[in-house]
Amino acid sequence: QVQLVESGGGLVQAGGSLRLSCEASGRTFRRYAMGWFRQAPGKEREFVAGINWTGCSTNYADSVKGRFTISRDNTKNTVFLQMNSLKPEDTAVYYCNADLVGMVVAGGPGDYWGQGTQVTVSS
């Protein structure tokens, strides 16, 4: 089992940047594929980005391609989401997700979720 804690959310103007972090507990972090999802008010939770166990394979939702970058540091049990050129429609609660099977890289969530961090982009 793994516990996930997100940080780095906040309020930013359109065009700005934020870097989200998700720190995982335990010594098995490198066994998990990791992903980021988001949920805006009144909308379903949606896939944002995923990364495999080694970090050599990534996948992004079309809406964030070219603007967001997912990465991981297995020595620090942490996955990151660098968000550039932010838009008001990126406003949402962002959730970290861990997946032993690896489906999160293709957009399907794994079993473990963080508590979420709010990102608000003003126009």
Side-chain angles (χ1 to χ4, degrees), residues 48-116:
V48 175
I51 189 167
N52 74 340
W53 301 271
T54 63
C56 66
S57 179
T58 59
N59 188 31
Y60 298 92
D62 288 342
S63 58
V64 307
K65 279 181 182 176
R67 300 188 298 122
F68 290 11
T69 302
I70 188 171
S71 61
R72 66 189 295 161
D73 184 342
N74 287 346
T75 67
K76 297 181 179 179
N77 284 9
T78 303
V79 62
F80 305 97
L81 185 68
Q82 178 66 44
M83 305 186 295
N84 298 329
S85 302
L86 282 161
K87 305 175 181 180
E89 51 263 44
D90 294 318
T91 295
V93 177
Y94 283 71
Y95 296 90
C96 181
N97 182 263
D99 176 23
L100 272 174
V101 177
M103 291 301 295
V104 68
V105 183
D111 292 333
Y112 304 103
W113 294 94
Q115 82 288 351

Side-chain angles (χ1 to χ4, degrees), residues 14-50:
S17 298
L18 282 174
R19 189 191 197 203
L20 305 183
S21 299
C22 172
E23 186 171 357
S25 64
R27 294 177 288 182
T28 60
F29 176 72
R30 60 175 53 85
R31 295 176 56 190
Y32 291 87
M34 301 296 296
W36 288 95
F37 291 73
R38 67 186 182 186
Q39 188 167 18
K43 295 188 177 181
E44 293 187 354
R45 192 171 298 188
E46 64 176 2
F47 171 77
V48 175

